[in-house]
Amino acid sequence: MTCEEVIAHLSSYLDHEMDAALAAEMQEHIAQCRNCRVVLDTTQRLIVLLHDEGRHIIPMGERSALFDRLQQAFLNRPPASDSNTTV
Amino acid sequence: MPGLTIDLTIYDDEEALLAGLRRREPDACACLIKRFAPLVYAQALRLLGDADEAEGALQQTFIKACDKLDTYEGRSGLGSWLYRIATNEALMLLRQRSPRVAIDHVADTIQADEIPQHLTPWTLDPAAAALNSELRATLEQALMTLPETLRIVFVLRDLQGLSTEETAAMLGLGESAVKVRLHRARLRLRELLSTYMQEH
Ligand SMILES: [Zn+2]
C-alpha cells in the first residue's frame, strides 16, 4: 500500500467501515511510515475534538425578543382537534 | 422578562414537559425554548454560516414543531426531533440561497490540495483542550472556510452524530458520496487546525 492509498482510506479505517484484510494492510503500512502515523493520529484527535464541539452551545447574544417570538408562536398555535389527542 | 427566568425543574422529564406543551402551558413552552433553542441555533449556524439565517431557521423550527406537536410520537427524544426539523429548515435555506449550486455538485475524489501537508504531531491534546475557548473559536472559524458541500456532510456526521445512512437520506446523496465528502472535510480541517495545534 502507498501513502496516497492510506490517506485515501483513512476515514473508512477510523470509522471501522473497512474489511479486515484491507485494515491489516493499512496497519502494516502505518507501523512503518511515520508520516501516515502522524496523519492518522491527528485525524483521530480531530474527530474527538469535534465530537465535543458538536455539543457546544454558541452564544446567541441578546436574543430575548427572539425567545418571545418563539414562545408566542407556540402559545398561539391553533387548537388541536379533540379527536386526535392520542400519542 | 417572562420565559427566560423560568425554573427548568418544573418538569420531571421530557414526558412531563411534552404533556405540558400539549396542554399549552406557557411554562412548558418557555422551558422547551430555554433548553433547546441555543443548541438548535448552534447547529443551524454551523450549517448556514450566517447568524441571521440561523435565527430564521430557529424560528421556523419552533413554528413547525408547534404544528407537528400533536403528531410527535416521542420516539427519538425532543432534542433529536427538533434537530431534525432544524436541519431540514437549514437545508431548505441553503438550497434557496444557491439554487444553481446543487448540494450534490462536488468532485467525489480527494483533491490534490487535500493531500496532507502538515506532518508534525500535535502537541496539544484536544481531549484536554476541549474547554479552551481560543481553540473553539479557531475550530468554528475553520469550519466556515470549508466549502458548503463538505461542511454540511461534516456537520451532520461528525458534529450532529448522524449515521452515514441518515446523512445520505437527508441530503439525497449516495452513501459513498457522503463518505468521501466527510473524509475530505476531515483532511481539510486537520490542515487548518495543524498550525494552531503546533503553536500551542
Ligand atoms: Zn505512508
Side-chain angles (χ1 to χ4, degrees):
Chain A
M1 218 180 216
T2 64
C3 293
E4 284 73 24
E5 287 170 326
V6 169
I7 299 304
H9 290 108
L10 209 59
S11 276
S12 312
Y13 180 75
L14 288 170
D15 293 339
H16 309 291
E17 289 171 341
M18 174 180 278
D19 67 60
L22 201 56
E25 273 189 62
M26 291 267 298
Q27 271 159 356
E28 201 178 311
H29 177 107
I30 288 161
Q32 292 161 7
C33 176
R34 182 199 166 272
N35 284 354
C36 285
R37 210 157 49 232
V38 169
V39 177
L40 177 77
D41 176 65
T42 50
T43 306
Q44 206 159 19
R45 285 170 186 240
L46 173 73
I47 294 168
V48 170
L49 179 69
L50 295 165
H51 187 74
D52 293 337
E53 187 60 19
R55 281 177 260 146
H56 180 64
I57 293 169
I58 300 169
M60 298 178 69
E62 226 357 275
R63 295 282 190 262
S64 54
L66 175 64
F67 278 92
D68 285 346
R69 284 202 298 278
L70 293 178
Q71 181 148 3
Q72 283 316 309
F74 242 92
L75 296 176
N76 295 337
R77 71 189 194 273
S81 59
D82 286 341
S83 58
N84 189 26
T85 49
T86 49
V87 181
Chain B
M1 71 202 74
L4 290 180
T5 51
I6 210 81
D7 180 6
L8 283 174
T9 58
I10 304 173
Y11 301 95
D12 292 337
D13 51 29
E14 277 197 14
E15 213 169 305
L17 175 60
L18 192 59
L21 287 168
R22 291 202 164 116
R23 288 191 300 269
R24 288 155 206 264
E25 291 170 9
D27 282 355
C29 175
C31 181
L32 181 82
I33 292 167
K34 192 168 182 190
R35 191 188 283 183
F36 292 112
L39 272 167
V40 169
Y41 173 79
Q43 216 55 48
L45 183 59
R46 287 177 186 128
L47 283 169
L48 289 159
D50 180 278
D52 288 338
E53 282 190 325
E55 246 187 57
L58 175 62
Q59 206 167 334
Q60 278 306 113
T61 298
F62 277 83
I63 289 170
K64 290 244 162 99
C66 297
D67 291 344
K68 295 178 177 177
L69 197 57
D70 297 312
T71 57
Y72 167 67
E73 290 179 354
R75 244 183 265 130
S76 56
L78 273 172
S80 337
W81 181 62
L82 288 170
Y83 261 6
R84 193 163 287 269
I85 297 172
T87 302
N88 282 323
E89 282 306 311
L91 292 177
M92 211 166 67
L93 284 174
L94 283 170
R95 289 194 186 100
Q96 283 168 6
R97 190 203 287 169
S98 47
R100 285 180 304 128
V101 185
I103 229 163
D104 58 353
H105 207 80
V106 68
D108 281 337
T109 48
I110 305 295
Q111 303 296 290
D113 65 352
E114 285 158 0
I115 301 290
Q117 305 295 316
H118 287 92
L119 298 169
T120 315
W122 289 358
T123 48
L124 191 69
D125 179 14
L131 295 174
N132 177 337
S133 63
E134 194 189 343
L135 173 59
R136 180 155 275 156
T138 307
L139 182 57
E140 296 285 350
Q141 214 175 6
L143 200 54
M144 290 310 147
T145 69
L146 286 184
E148 200 170 283
T149 46
L150 300 186
R151 192 178 73 229
I152 293 163
V153 168
F154 174 79
V155 169
L156 296 183
R157 279 286 283 113
D158 273 352
L159 293 182
Q160 210 159 315
L162 297 188
S163 69
T164 302
E165 196 184 350
E166 288 171 312
T167 306
M170 205 151 216
L171 299 177
L173 286 174
E175 289 188 26
S176 62
V178 169
K179 287 179 191 175
V180 173
R181 281 171 213 202
L182 177 65
H183 183 44
R184 293 180 54 191
R186 285 171 176 174
L187 287 182
R188 287 205 190 202
L189 275 179
R190 197 200 71 91
E191 291 297 319
L192 287 166
L193 288 182
S194 279
T195 311
Y196 180 92
M197 292 299 192
Q198 279 150 34
E199 284 170 358
H200 291 77

